[in-house]
mmCIF file with all atom_site columns, all heavy atoms in Angstrom:
data_model
loop_
_atom_site.group_PDB
_atom_site.id
_atom_site.type_symbol
_atom_site.label_atom_id
_atom_site.label_alt_id
_atom_site.label_comp_id
_atom_site.label_asym_id
_atom_site.label_entity_id
_atom_site.label_seq_id
_atom_site.pdbx_PDB_ins_code
_atom_site.Cartn_x
_atom_site.Cartn_y
_atom_site.Cartn_z
_atom_site.occupancy
_atom_site.B_iso_or_equiv
_atom_site.pdbx_formal_charge
_atom_site.auth_seq_id
_atom_site.auth_comp_id
_atom_site.auth_asym_id
_atom_site.auth_atom_id
_atom_site.pdbx_PDB_model_num
ATOM 1   N N   . ARG Q 1 7   ? -30.223 -11.406 -17.398 1.00 0.00 ? 136 ARG Q N   1
ATOM 2   C CA  . ARG Q 1 7   ? -31.059 -12.335 -18.153 1.00 0.00 ? 136 ARG Q CA  1
ATOM 3   C C   . ARG Q 1 7   ? -30.111 -13.024 -19.110 1.00 0.00 ? 136 ARG Q C   1
ATOM 4   O O   . ARG Q 1 7   ? -29.115 -12.436 -19.525 1.00 0.00 ? 136 ARG Q O   1
ATOM 5   C CB  . ARG Q 1 7   ? -32.260 -11.580 -18.862 1.00 0.00 ? 136 ARG Q CB  1
ATOM 6   C CG  . ARG Q 1 7   ? -33.201 -10.958 -17.859 1.00 0.00 ? 136 ARG Q CG  1
ATOM 7   C CD  . ARG Q 1 7   ? -34.175 -12.045 -17.377 1.00 0.00 ? 136 ARG Q CD  1
ATOM 8   N NE  . ARG Q 1 7   ? -35.048 -11.389 -16.395 1.00 0.00 ? 136 ARG Q NE  1
ATOM 9   C CZ  . ARG Q 1 7   ? -34.712 -11.369 -15.106 1.00 0.00 ? 136 ARG Q CZ  1
ATOM 10  N NH1 . ARG Q 1 7   ? -33.650 -11.790 -14.644 1.00 0.00 ? 136 ARG Q NH1 1
ATOM 11  N NH2 . ARG Q 1 7   ? -35.639 -10.828 -14.309 1.00 0.00 ? 136 ARG Q NH2 1
ATOM 12  N N   . ALA Q 1 15  ? -32.410 -9.180  -37.738 1.00 0.00 ? 144 ALA Q N   1
ATOM 13  C CA  . ALA Q 1 15  ? -31.697 -8.849  -38.986 1.00 0.00 ? 144 ALA Q CA  1
ATOM 14  C C   . ALA Q 1 15  ? -32.241 -7.619  -39.658 1.00 0.00 ? 144 ALA Q C   1
ATOM 15  O O   . ALA Q 1 15  ? -33.437 -7.506  -39.813 1.00 0.00 ? 144 ALA Q O   1
ATOM 16  C CB  . ALA Q 1 15  ? -31.723 -9.996  -39.977 1.00 0.00 ? 144 ALA Q CB  1
ATOM 17  N N   . THR Q 1 19  ? -31.406 -2.382  -47.281 1.00 0.00 ? 148 THR Q N   1
ATOM 18  C CA  . THR Q 1 19  ? -30.966 -1.017  -47.514 1.00 0.00 ? 148 THR Q CA  1
ATOM 19  C C   . THR Q 1 19  ? -30.151 -0.423  -46.380 1.00 0.00 ? 148 THR Q C   1
ATOM 20  O O   . THR Q 1 19  ? -29.414 0.563   -46.654 1.00 0.00 ? 148 THR Q O   1
ATOM 21  C CB  . THR Q 1 19  ? -32.221 -0.149  -47.720 1.00 0.00 ? 148 THR Q CB  1
ATOM 22  O OG1 . THR Q 1 19  ? -33.112 -0.460  -46.674 1.00 0.00 ? 148 THR Q OG1 1
ATOM 23  C CG2 . THR Q 1 19  ? -32.871 -0.320  -49.092 1.00 0.00 ? 148 THR Q CG2 1
ATOM 24  N N   . ASP Q 1 24  ? -25.228 0.019   -41.277 1.00 0.00 ? 153 ASP Q N   1
ATOM 25  C CA  . ASP Q 1 24  ? -25.057 -0.854  -40.173 1.00 0.00 ? 153 ASP Q CA  1
ATOM 26  C C   . ASP Q 1 24  ? -23.598 -1.222  -40.038 1.00 0.00 ? 153 ASP Q C   1
ATOM 27  O O   . ASP Q 1 24  ? -23.066 -1.417  -38.933 1.00 0.00 ? 153 ASP Q O   1
ATOM 28  C CB  . ASP Q 1 24  ? -25.813 -2.196  -40.362 1.00 0.00 ? 153 ASP Q CB  1
ATOM 29  C CG  . ASP Q 1 24  ? -27.197 -1.940  -39.821 1.00 0.00 ? 153 ASP Q CG  1
ATOM 30  O OD1 . ASP Q 1 24  ? -27.562 -0.850  -39.523 1.00 0.00 ? 153 ASP Q OD1 1
ATOM 31  O OD2 . ASP Q 1 24  ? -27.958 -2.953  -39.528 1.00 0.00 ? 153 ASP Q OD2 1
ATOM 32  N N   . LEU Q 1 26  ? -21.108 0.751   -40.746 1.00 0.00 ? 155 LEU Q N   1
ATOM 33  C CA  . LEU Q 1 26  ? -20.511 1.938   -40.104 1.00 0.00 ? 155 LEU Q CA  1
ATOM 34  C C   . LEU Q 1 26  ? -20.767 1.876   -38.600 1.00 0.00 ? 155 LEU Q C   1
ATOM 35  O O   . LEU Q 1 26  ? -19.921 2.079   -37.801 1.00 0.00 ? 155 LEU Q O   1
ATOM 36  C CB  . LEU Q 1 26  ? -21.057 3.230   -40.745 1.00 0.00 ? 155 LEU Q CB  1
ATOM 37  C CG  . LEU Q 1 26  ? -20.500 3.535   -42.058 1.00 0.00 ? 155 LEU Q CG  1
ATOM 38  C CD1 . LEU Q 1 26  ? -21.074 4.839   -42.598 1.00 0.00 ? 155 LEU Q CD1 1
ATOM 39  C CD2 . LEU Q 1 26  ? -18.970 3.641   -42.110 1.00 0.00 ? 155 LEU Q CD2 1
ATOM 40  N N   . ILE Q 1 36  ? -13.783 -1.198  -27.871 1.00 0.00 ? 165 ILE Q N   1
ATOM 41  C CA  . ILE Q 1 36  ? -12.341 -1.522  -27.699 1.00 0.00 ? 165 ILE Q CA  1
ATOM 42  C C   . ILE Q 1 36  ? -11.618 -0.456  -26.966 1.00 0.00 ? 165 ILE Q C   1
ATOM 43  O O   . ILE Q 1 36  ? -10.906 -0.739  -25.978 1.00 0.00 ? 165 ILE Q O   1
ATOM 44  C CB  . ILE Q 1 36  ? -11.678 -1.842  -29.054 1.00 0.00 ? 165 ILE Q CB  1
ATOM 45  C CG1 . ILE Q 1 36  ? -12.263 -3.086  -29.668 1.00 0.00 ? 165 ILE Q CG1 1
ATOM 46  C CG2 . ILE Q 1 36  ? -10.152 -1.986  -28.921 1.00 0.00 ? 165 ILE Q CG2 1
ATOM 47  C CD1 . ILE Q 1 36  ? -11.802 -3.373  -31.081 1.00 0.00 ? 165 ILE Q CD1 1
ATOM 48  N N   . ASP Q 1 62  ? 8.850   8.255   -10.782 1.00 0.00 ? 191 ASP Q N   1
ATOM 49  C CA  . ASP Q 1 62  ? 8.903   9.190   -11.845 1.00 0.00 ? 191 ASP Q CA  1
ATOM 50  C C   . ASP Q 1 62  ? 7.822   9.083   -12.993 1.00 0.00 ? 191 ASP Q C   1
ATOM 51  O O   . ASP Q 1 62  ? 8.008   9.675   -14.072 1.00 0.00 ? 191 ASP Q O   1
ATOM 52  C CB  . ASP Q 1 62  ? 10.253  9.433   -12.304 1.00 0.00 ? 191 ASP Q CB  1
ATOM 53  C CG  . ASP Q 1 62  ? 10.833  8.147   -13.127 1.00 0.00 ? 191 ASP Q CG  1
ATOM 54  O OD1 . ASP Q 1 62  ? 9.932   7.330   -13.490 1.00 0.00 ? 191 ASP Q OD1 1
ATOM 55  O OD2 . ASP Q 1 62  ? 11.996  8.004   -13.219 1.00 0.00 ? 191 ASP Q OD2 1
ATOM 56  N N   . PHE Q 1 65  ? 6.485   4.454   -17.810 1.00 0.00 ? 194 PHE Q N   1
ATOM 57  C CA  . PHE Q 1 65  ? 5.458   3.386   -18.292 1.00 0.00 ? 194 PHE Q CA  1
ATOM 58  C C   . PHE Q 1 65  ? 6.028   2.062   -18.281 1.00 0.00 ? 194 PHE Q C   1
ATOM 59  O O   . PHE Q 1 65  ? 5.335   1.151   -18.078 1.00 0.00 ? 194 PHE Q O   1
ATOM 60  C CB  . PHE Q 1 65  ? 4.982   3.821   -19.709 1.00 0.00 ? 194 PHE Q CB  1
ATOM 61  C CG  . PHE Q 1 65  ? 4.401   5.154   -19.708 1.00 0.00 ? 194 PHE Q CG  1
ATOM 62  C CD1 . PHE Q 1 65  ? 4.784   6.156   -20.631 1.00 0.00 ? 194 PHE Q CD1 1
ATOM 63  C CD2 . PHE Q 1 65  ? 3.409   5.553   -18.793 1.00 0.00 ? 194 PHE Q CD2 1
ATOM 64  C CE1 . PHE Q 1 65  ? 4.185   7.397   -20.732 1.00 0.00 ? 194 PHE Q CE1 1
ATOM 65  C CE2 . PHE Q 1 65  ? 2.789   6.853   -18.807 1.00 0.00 ? 194 PHE Q CE2 1
ATOM 66  C CZ  . PHE Q 1 65  ? 3.191   7.712   -19.774 1.00 0.00 ? 194 PHE Q CZ  1
ATOM 67  N N   . TRP Q 1 72  ? 11.506  -8.567  -10.026 1.00 0.00 ? 201 TRP Q N   1
ATOM 68  C CA  . TRP Q 1 72  ? 10.479  -9.474  -9.478  1.00 0.00 ? 201 TRP Q CA  1
ATOM 69  C C   . TRP Q 1 72  ? 10.664  -9.656  -8.025  1.00 0.00 ? 201 TRP Q C   1
ATOM 70  O O   . TRP Q 1 72  ? 9.714   -10.093 -7.284  1.00 0.00 ? 201 TRP Q O   1
ATOM 71  C CB  . TRP Q 1 72  ? 10.626  -10.790 -10.205 1.00 0.00 ? 201 TRP Q CB  1
ATOM 72  C CG  . TRP Q 1 72  ? 10.228  -10.722 -11.610 1.00 0.00 ? 201 TRP Q CG  1
ATOM 73  C CD1 . TRP Q 1 72  ? 11.112  -10.705 -12.660 1.00 0.00 ? 201 TRP Q CD1 1
ATOM 74  C CD2 . TRP Q 1 72  ? 8.934   -10.607 -12.207 1.00 0.00 ? 201 TRP Q CD2 1
ATOM 75  N NE1 . TRP Q 1 72  ? 10.440  -10.559 -13.862 1.00 0.00 ? 201 TRP Q NE1 1
ATOM 76  C CE2 . TRP Q 1 72  ? 9.094   -10.502 -13.623 1.00 0.00 ? 201 TRP Q CE2 1
ATOM 77  C CE3 . TRP Q 1 72  ? 7.681   -10.586 -11.614 1.00 0.00 ? 201 TRP Q CE3 1
ATOM 78  C CZ2 . TRP Q 1 72  ? 7.973   -10.397 -14.454 1.00 0.00 ? 201 TRP Q CZ2 1
ATOM 79  C CZ3 . TRP Q 1 72  ? 6.606   -10.500 -12.544 1.00 0.00 ? 201 TRP Q CZ3 1
ATOM 80  C CH2 . TRP Q 1 72  ? 6.777   -10.418 -13.924 1.00 0.00 ? 201 TRP Q CH2 1
ATOM 81  N N   . ASN Q 1 90  ? -6.044  -14.127 7.947   1.00 0.00 ? 219 ASN Q N   1
ATOM 82  C CA  . ASN Q 1 90  ? -7.199  -13.536 8.573   1.00 0.00 ? 219 ASN Q CA  1
ATOM 83  C C   . ASN Q 1 90  ? -8.290  -13.200 7.509   1.00 0.00 ? 219 ASN Q C   1
ATOM 84  O O   . ASN Q 1 90  ? -9.486  -13.313 7.862   1.00 0.00 ? 219 ASN Q O   1
ATOM 85  C CB  . ASN Q 1 90  ? -6.777  -12.198 9.339   1.00 0.00 ? 219 ASN Q CB  1
ATOM 86  C CG  . ASN Q 1 90  ? -5.992  -12.501 10.479  1.00 0.00 ? 219 ASN Q CG  1
ATOM 87  O OD1 . ASN Q 1 90  ? -6.040  -13.566 11.110  1.00 0.00 ? 219 ASN Q OD1 1
ATOM 88  N ND2 . ASN Q 1 90  ? -5.132  -11.550 10.899  1.00 0.00 ? 219 ASN Q ND2 1
ATOM 89  N N   . TYR Q 1 94  ? -12.035 -14.591 7.852   1.00 0.00 ? 223 TYR Q N   1
ATOM 90  C CA  . TYR Q 1 94  ? -13.164 -13.670 7.946   1.00 0.00 ? 223 TYR Q CA  1
ATOM 91  C C   . TYR Q 1 94  ? -14.057 -13.912 6.666   1.00 0.00 ? 223 TYR Q C   1
ATOM 92  O O   . TYR Q 1 94  ? -15.318 -14.161 6.938   1.00 0.00 ? 223 TYR Q O   1
ATOM 93  C CB  . TYR Q 1 94  ? -12.581 -12.207 7.868   1.00 0.00 ? 223 TYR Q CB  1
ATOM 94  C CG  . TYR Q 1 94  ? -13.642 -11.130 7.871   1.00 0.00 ? 223 TYR Q CG  1
ATOM 95  C CD1 . TYR Q 1 94  ? -14.935 -11.284 8.414   1.00 0.00 ? 223 TYR Q CD1 1
ATOM 96  C CD2 . TYR Q 1 94  ? -13.380 -9.915  7.252   1.00 0.00 ? 223 TYR Q CD2 1
ATOM 97  C CE1 . TYR Q 1 94  ? -15.845 -10.307 8.352   1.00 0.00 ? 223 TYR Q CE1 1
ATOM 98  C CE2 . TYR Q 1 94  ? -14.300 -8.796  7.163   1.00 0.00 ? 223 TYR Q CE2 1
ATOM 99  C CZ  . TYR Q 1 94  ? -15.524 -9.064  7.781   1.00 0.00 ? 223 TYR Q CZ  1
ATOM 100 O OH  . TYR Q 1 94  ? -16.477 -8.045  7.740   1.00 0.00 ? 223 TYR Q OH  1
ATOM 101 N N   . GLY Q 1 96  ? -14.160 -16.643 4.671   1.00 0.00 ? 225 GLY Q N   1
ATOM 102 C CA  . GLY Q 1 96  ? -14.645 -17.996 4.588   1.00 0.00 ? 225 GLY Q CA  1
ATOM 103 C C   . GLY Q 1 96  ? -15.581 -18.331 5.679   1.00 0.00 ? 225 GLY Q C   1
ATOM 104 O O   . GLY Q 1 96  ? -16.758 -18.743 5.292   1.00 0.00 ? 225 GLY Q O   1
ATOM 105 N N   . VAL Q 1 97  ? -15.235 -18.184 6.837   1.00 0.00 ? 226 VAL Q N   1
ATOM 106 C CA  . VAL Q 1 97  ? -16.130 -18.554 7.945   1.00 0.00 ? 226 VAL Q CA  1
ATOM 107 C C   . VAL Q 1 97  ? -17.390 -17.586 7.907   1.00 0.00 ? 226 VAL Q C   1
ATOM 108 O O   . VAL Q 1 97  ? -18.546 -18.087 8.178   1.00 0.00 ? 226 VAL Q O   1
ATOM 109 C CB  . VAL Q 1 97  ? -15.383 -18.363 9.342   1.00 0.00 ? 226 VAL Q CB  1
ATOM 110 C CG1 . VAL Q 1 97  ? -16.371 -18.657 10.456  1.00 0.00 ? 226 VAL Q CG1 1
ATOM 111 C CG2 . VAL Q 1 97  ? -14.245 -19.333 9.385   1.00 0.00 ? 226 VAL Q CG2 1
ATOM 112 N N   . PHE Q 1 116 ? -43.608 -19.208 3.675   1.00 0.00 ? 245 PHE Q N   1
ATOM 113 C CA  . PHE Q 1 116 ? -44.684 -19.292 4.675   1.00 0.00 ? 245 PHE Q CA  1
ATOM 114 C C   . PHE Q 1 116 ? -45.538 -18.073 4.680   1.00 0.00 ? 245 PHE Q C   1
ATOM 115 O O   . PHE Q 1 116 ? -45.024 -16.908 4.373   1.00 0.00 ? 245 PHE Q O   1
ATOM 116 C CB  . PHE Q 1 116 ? -44.054 -19.334 6.029   1.00 0.00 ? 245 PHE Q CB  1
ATOM 117 C CG  . PHE Q 1 116 ? -43.200 -20.648 6.284   1.00 0.00 ? 245 PHE Q CG  1
ATOM 118 C CD1 . PHE Q 1 116 ? -42.179 -20.623 7.263   1.00 0.00 ? 245 PHE Q CD1 1
ATOM 119 C CD2 . PHE Q 1 116 ? -43.458 -21.764 5.596   1.00 0.00 ? 245 PHE Q CD2 1
ATOM 120 C CE1 . PHE Q 1 116 ? -41.430 -21.786 7.422   1.00 0.00 ? 245 PHE Q CE1 1
ATOM 121 C CE2 . PHE Q 1 116 ? -42.722 -22.968 5.754   1.00 0.00 ? 245 PHE Q CE2 1
ATOM 122 C CZ  . PHE Q 1 116 ? -41.700 -22.944 6.660   1.00 0.00 ? 245 PHE Q CZ  1
ATOM 123 N N   . TYR Q 1 144 ? -19.349 -0.737  18.891  1.00 0.00 ? 273 TYR Q N   1
ATOM 124 C CA  . TYR Q 1 144 ? -17.920 -0.790  19.273  1.00 0.00 ? 273 TYR Q CA  1
ATOM 125 C C   . TYR Q 1 144 ? -17.860 -0.757  20.747  1.00 0.00 ? 273 TYR Q C   1
ATOM 126 O O   . TYR Q 1 144 ? -16.985 -1.473  21.365  1.00 0.00 ? 273 TYR Q O   1
ATOM 127 C CB  . TYR Q 1 144 ? -17.137 0.399   18.655  1.00 0.00 ? 273 TYR Q CB  1
ATOM 128 C CG  . TYR Q 1 144 ? -15.716 0.396   19.096  1.00 0.00 ? 273 TYR Q CG  1
ATOM 129 C CD1 . TYR Q 1 144 ? -14.856 -0.447  18.561  1.00 0.00 ? 273 TYR Q CD1 1
ATOM 130 C CD2 . TYR Q 1 144 ? -15.277 1.276   20.100  1.00 0.00 ? 273 TYR Q CD2 1
ATOM 131 C CE1 . TYR Q 1 144 ? -13.459 -0.520  18.995  1.00 0.00 ? 273 TYR Q CE1 1
ATOM 132 C CE2 . TYR Q 1 144 ? -13.896 1.237   20.567  1.00 0.00 ? 273 TYR Q CE2 1
ATOM 133 C CZ  . TYR Q 1 144 ? -13.120 0.313   20.036  1.00 0.00 ? 273 TYR Q CZ  1
ATOM 134 O OH  . TYR Q 1 144 ? -11.778 0.279   20.433  1.00 0.00 ? 273 TYR Q OH  1
ATOM 135 N N   . VAL Q 1 146 ? -19.906 -1.878  22.905  1.00 0.00 ? 275 VAL Q N   1
ATOM 136 C CA  . VAL Q 1 146 ? -20.178 -3.214  23.465  1.00 0.00 ? 275 VAL Q CA  1
ATOM 137 C C   . VAL Q 1 146 ? -19.093 -4.190  23.237  1.00 0.00 ? 275 VAL Q C   1
ATOM 138 O O   . VAL Q 1 146 ? -18.629 -4.946  24.210  1.00 0.00 ? 275 VAL Q O   1
ATOM 139 C CB  . VAL Q 1 146 ? -21.537 -3.810  22.812  1.00 0.00 ? 275 VAL Q CB  1
ATOM 140 C CG1 . VAL Q 1 146 ? -21.754 -5.234  23.128  1.00 0.00 ? 275 VAL Q CG1 1
ATOM 141 C CG2 . VAL Q 1 146 ? -22.724 -2.935  23.190  1.00 0.00 ? 275 VAL Q CG2 1
ATOM 142 N N   . SER Q 1 148 ? -15.899 -3.676  22.582  1.00 0.00 ? 277 SER Q N   1
ATOM 143 C CA  . SER Q 1 148 ? -14.577 -3.326  23.168  1.00 0.00 ? 277 SER Q CA  1
ATOM 144 C C   . SER Q 1 148 ? -14.621 -3.356  24.740  1.00 0.00 ? 277 SER Q C   1
ATOM 145 O O   . SER Q 1 148 ? -13.735 -3.816  25.437  1.00 0.00 ? 277 SER Q O   1
ATOM 146 C CB  . SER Q 1 148 ? -14.046 -2.023  22.679  1.00 0.00 ? 277 SER Q CB  1
ATOM 147 O OG  . SER Q 1 148 ? -14.744 -0.995  23.218  1.00 0.00 ? 277 SER Q OG  1
ATOM 148 N N   . PRO Q 1 163 ? -21.695 -11.470 14.322  1.00 0.00 ? 292 PRO Q N   1
ATOM 149 C CA  . PRO Q 1 163 ? -22.956 -10.929 13.790  1.00 0.00 ? 292 PRO Q CA  1
ATOM 150 C C   . PRO Q 1 163 ? -23.471 -11.644 12.571  1.00 0.00 ? 292 PRO Q C   1
ATOM 151 O O   . PRO Q 1 163 ? -24.653 -11.614 12.422  1.00 0.00 ? 292 PRO Q O   1
ATOM 152 C CB  . PRO Q 1 163 ? -22.717 -9.450  13.518  1.00 0.00 ? 292 PRO Q CB  1
ATOM 153 C CG  . PRO Q 1 163 ? -21.469 -9.065  14.401  1.00 0.00 ? 292 PRO Q CG  1
ATOM 154 C CD  . PRO Q 1 163 ? -20.696 -10.381 14.423  1.00 0.00 ? 292 PRO Q CD  1
ATOM 155 N N   . SER Q 1 171 ? -28.265 -10.991 1.988   1.00 0.00 ? 300 SER Q N   1
ATOM 156 C CA  . SER Q 1 171 ? -28.314 -12.320 1.581   1.00 0.00 ? 300 SER Q CA  1
ATOM 157 C C   . SER Q 1 171 ? -29.680 -12.939 1.735   1.00 0.00 ? 300 SER Q C   1
ATOM 158 O O   . SER Q 1 171 ? -30.208 -13.637 0.915   1.00 0.00 ? 300 SER Q O   1
ATOM 159 C CB  . SER Q 1 171 ? -27.293 -13.139 2.386   1.00 0.00 ? 300 SER Q CB  1
ATOM 160 O OG  . SER Q 1 171 ? -25.985 -12.696 2.262   1.00 0.00 ? 300 SER Q OG  1
ATOM 161 N N   . THR Q 1 181 ? -39.324 -17.952 -6.665  1.00 0.00 ? 310 THR Q N   1
ATOM 162 C CA  . THR Q 1 181 ? -39.567 -18.544 -8.040  1.00 0.00 ? 310 THR Q CA  1
ATOM 163 C C   . THR Q 1 181 ? -39.828 -20.015 -7.928  1.00 0.00 ? 310 THR Q C   1
ATOM 164 O O   . THR Q 1 181 ? -40.182 -20.644 -9.001  1.00 0.00 ? 310 THR Q O   1
ATOM 165 C CB  . THR Q 1 181 ? -38.330 -18.293 -8.933  1.00 0.00 ? 310 THR Q CB  1
ATOM 166 O OG1 . THR Q 1 181 ? -37.202 -18.881 -8.377  1.00 0.00 ? 310 THR Q OG1 1
ATOM 167 C CG2 . THR Q 1 181 ? -38.075 -16.762 -9.046  1.00 0.00 ? 310 THR Q CG2 1
ATOM 168 N N   . GLY Q 1 194 ? -44.396 -36.398 5.451   1.00 0.00 ? 323 GLY Q N   1
ATOM 169 C CA  . GLY Q 1 194 ? -44.058 -36.494 6.794   1.00 0.00 ? 323 GLY Q CA  1
ATOM 170 C C   . GLY Q 1 194 ? -42.632 -36.115 7.083   1.00 0.00 ? 323 GLY Q C   1
ATOM 171 O O   . GLY Q 1 194 ? -42.085 -36.457 8.181   1.00 0.00 ? 323 GLY Q O   1
ATOM 172 N N   . ARG Q 1 199 ? -35.302 -31.492 7.728   1.00 0.00 ? 328 ARG Q N   1
ATOM 173 C CA  . ARG Q 1 199 ? -34.972 -32.502 6.644   1.00 0.00 ? 328 ARG Q CA  1
ATOM 174 C C   . ARG Q 1 199 ? -35.468 -31.953 5.301   1.00 0.00 ? 328 ARG Q C   1
ATOM 175 O O   . ARG Q 1 199 ? -34.846 -32.063 4.275   1.00 0.00 ? 328 ARG Q O   1
ATOM 176 C CB  . ARG Q 1 199 ? -35.551 -33.834 6.860   1.00 0.00 ? 328 ARG Q CB  1
ATOM 177 C CG  . ARG Q 1 199 ? -34.819 -34.628 7.992   1.00 0.00 ? 328 ARG Q CG  1
ATOM 178 C CD  . ARG Q 1 199 ? -35.407 -35.920 8.263   1.00 0.00 ? 328 ARG Q CD  1
ATOM 179 N NE  . ARG Q 1 199 ? -35.356 -36.728 6.943   1.00 0.00 ? 328 ARG Q NE  1
ATOM 180 C CZ  . ARG Q 1 199 ? -36.063 -37.838 6.812   1.00 0.00 ? 328 ARG Q CZ  1
ATOM 181 N NH1 . ARG Q 1 199 ? -36.973 -38.206 7.776   1.00 0.00 ? 328 ARG Q NH1 1
ATOM 182 N NH2 . ARG Q 1 199 ? -36.026 -38.572 5.727   1.00 0.00 ? 328 ARG Q NH2 1
ATOM 183 N N   . PRO Q 1 207 ? -30.855 -28.462 -2.376  1.00 0.00 ? 336 PRO Q N   1
ATOM 184 C CA  . PRO Q 1 207 ? -30.524 -28.870 -3.808  1.00 0.00 ? 336 PRO Q CA  1
ATOM 185 C C   . PRO Q 1 207 ? -31.076 -27.966 -4.812  1.00 0.00 ? 336 PRO Q C   1
ATOM 186 O O   . PRO Q 1 207 ? -30.393 -27.616 -5.771  1.00 0.00 ? 336 PRO Q O   1
ATOM 187 C CB  . PRO Q 1 207 ? -31.041 -30.237 -3.891  1.00 0.00 ? 336 PRO Q CB  1
ATOM 188 C CG  . PRO Q 1 207 ? -31.230 -30.787 -2.495  1.00 0.00 ? 336 PRO Q CG  1
ATOM 189 C CD  . PRO Q 1 207 ? -31.537 -29.535 -1.591  1.00 0.00 ? 336 PRO Q CD  1
ATOM 190 N N   . ALA Q 1 209 ? -31.991 -24.809 -4.395  1.00 0.00 ? 338 ALA Q N   1
ATOM 191 C CA  . ALA Q 1 209 ? -31.514 -23.492 -4.300  1.00 0.00 ? 338 ALA Q CA  1
ATOM 192 C C   . ALA Q 1 209 ? -29.996 -23.338 -4.491  1.00 0.00 ? 338 ALA Q C   1
ATOM 193 O O   . ALA Q 1 209 ? -29.406 -22.304 -4.304  1.00 0.00 ? 338 ALA Q O   1
ATOM 194 C CB  . ALA Q 1 209 ? -31.848 -22.883 -2.951  1.00 0.00 ? 338 ALA Q CB  1
ATOM 195 N N   . VAL Q 1 214 ? -24.864 -20.509 -4.092  1.00 0.00 ? 343 VAL Q N   1
ATOM 196 C CA  . VAL Q 1 214 ? -23.494 -20.243 -4.615  1.00 0.00 ? 343 VAL Q CA  1
ATOM 197 C C   . VAL Q 1 214 ? -23.356 -18.826 -4.936  1.00 0.00 ? 343 VAL Q C   1
ATOM 198 O O   . VAL Q 1 214 ? -22.298 -18.131 -4.488  1.00 0.00 ? 343 VAL Q O   1
ATOM 199 C CB  . VAL Q 1 214 ? -23.227 -21.178 -5.849  1.00 0.00 ? 343 VAL Q CB  1
ATOM 200 C CG1 . VAL Q 1 214 ? -21.935 -20.673 -6.454  1.00 0.00 ? 343 VAL Q CG1 1
ATOM 201 C CG2 . VAL Q 1 214 ? -23.109 -22.595 -5.450  1.00 0.00 ? 343 VAL Q CG2 1
ATOM 202 N N   . LEU Q 1 263 ? 2.336   -1.346  -4.827  1.00 0.00 ? 392 LEU Q N   1
ATOM 203 C CA  . LEU Q 1 263 ? 1.530   -1.872  -5.961  1.00 0.00 ? 392 LEU Q CA  1
ATOM 204 C C   . LEU Q 1 263 ? 1.679   -3.412  -6.093  1.00 0.00 ? 392 LEU Q C   1
ATOM 205 O O   . LEU Q 1 263 ? 0.773   -4.025  -6.481  1.00 0.00 ? 392 LEU Q O   1
ATOM 206 C CB  . LEU Q 1 263 ? 1.878   -1.160  -7.267  1.00 0.00 ? 392 LEU Q CB  1
ATOM 207 C CG  . LEU Q 1 263 ? 1.423   0.350   -7.184  1.00 0.00 ? 392 LEU Q CG  1
ATOM 208 C CD1 . LEU Q 1 263 ? 1.747   1.073   -8.505  1.00 0.00 ? 392 LEU Q CD1 1
ATOM 209 C CD2 . LEU Q 1 263 ? -0.102  0.446   -6.940  1.00 0.00 ? 392 LEU Q CD2 1
#
Side-chain angles (χ1 to χ4, degrees):
Chain Q
R136 294 278 176 272
T148 45
D153 274 13
L155 288 178
I165 291 172
D191 65 19
F194 301 129
W201 295 101
N219 291 335
Y223 177 29
V226 177
F245 297 154
Y273 177 77
V275 170
S277 73
S300 305
T310 64
R328 285 182 60 198
V343 170
L392 293 179

